[in-house]
Structures are given as structure tokens and as C-alpha cells.
Amino acid sequence: MKILLVHVRDPQFYAIPAKLRAKNGHIQVMGFPPIGIMSLSAVLKRAGHECFIFDQANPETPNKVILAEIRHKKPDRVGLSFLSTTSYPYAKIFAGQIRAADSNVKIAFGGVFATLNAQLVKRQVPGVDFVCRGDGEQLILDLLAFSF
């Protein structure tokens, strides 16, 4: 299967203005690498799946760039991972955009916020097919094995 994973971040939290690029031209951002989706990607690849990841801490990966990749790659599943209440509104909007771009793709929410607020997410974001709770390394494989 083809899986696309995105770490959704609140753009107000992490961005450093582009004019403050490093001397070598690299983009400077605050925060940590998206270890959660990086780990899931490794598990998926080891199991024989094709996986693509995006970290929205990189200002060069706004929703429109990822949506273009979804239209081009036609993944079977898209996973949105986010940590906090400040990222949740962006994840909700992005889920709707993904659904509009590809009505057949299955969308999963995961991460700390989704784990702690699964019922709220299911009520507020009906376009999400799965709300994943807890560590995802085994859960994601089980989810992919589940066919519907």
C-alpha cells in the first residue's frame, strides 16, 4: 500500500521568517524532527509498504504542496499526526482539503491530541476514517491489514 504521513504543525508556533535563512540558504525552524511519523515510516517500509512523509515545520510544505502530492501519488491512506490543541484546527481544515482532493483515500488522525481526545475528534471531524490512540508502530500495521 501507499501511505502518506504528515506531521501537522501550528504555523504560528514554529516559523522563523524566511528572511532569517541560515547563511547557507537553509530554512531555519524551531522544534524537533517528527520522530513519530519517522518511526512509523520505518515500520511501514520494513513491512513492504511505500511511505512518504512531510513535516509542516518546513514552511516549504504548505497544504497545497502536500495536496498536489496526494493527487499525484494517489495514496491508499493518509495519516495526520499532531501534538497539541494549537495544531488541531489546522488538522481539521487539512483533513477536509484532503477529502476534497481524493474522496476515496482513508484518513487517520494520530498523535498526542488525537490519543487524548478521540471522541471529540470523531464528533468534530466526520471526514476522518480512523482516530488512532497510543503508540502507532503496531497499530498502523493492524490498521492496514483491516480492509473495508
Side-chain angles (χ1 to χ4, degrees):
M1 274 193 193
K2 267 193 256 187
I3 297 93
L4 192 137
L5 301 174
V6 181
H7 190 136
V8 180
R9 303 228 182 164
D10 173 356
Q12 304 305 313
F13 176 74
Y14 64 82
I16 295 176
K19 65 182 178 180
L20 297 178
R21 286 182 181 258
K23 290 180 182 175
N24 63 6
H26 291 161
I27 297 169
Q28 296 180 343
V29 294
M30 296 184 294
F32 301 97
I35 293 172
I37 64 169
M38 291 168 72
S39 173
L40 295 178
S41 176
V43 167
L44 290 167
K45 288 175 181 177
R46 180 176 285 158
H49 299 285
E50 194 175 356
C51 187
F52 309 93
I53 65 172
F54 292 92
D55 182 4
Q56 289 195 310
N58 180 343
E60 293 182 359
T61 56
N63 290 5
K64 67 181 179 179
V65 168
I66 300 169
L67 290 168
E69 283 297 303
I70 290 170
R71 287 185 194 99
H72 174 72
K73 294 193 185 314
K74 300 273 187 222
D76 301 293
R77 306 282 189 273
V78 173
L80 302 181
S81 176
F82 51 98
L83 297 174
S84 68
T85 56
T86 61
S87 298
Y88 179 53
Y90 297 97
K92 289 193 298 186
I93 291 166
F94 196 27
Q97 293 171 339
I98 293 167
R99 181 64 64 220
D102 184 343
S103 61
N104 295 319
V105 71
K106 300 301 180 192
I107 302 170
F109 271 16
V112 175
F113 184 89
T115 293
L116 297 174
N117 297 283
Q119 295 301 321
L120 174 72
V121 171
K122 279 308 288 175
R123 276 195 317 273
Q124 292 185 348
V125 195
V128 169
D129 299 291
F130 307 101
V131 180
C132 303
R133 297 174 64 199
D135 293 334
E137 286 76 10
Q138 182 58 51
L139 176 63
I140 198 162
L141 295 175
D142 294 341
L143 184 65
L144 295 178
F146 180 72
S147 60
F148 51 98

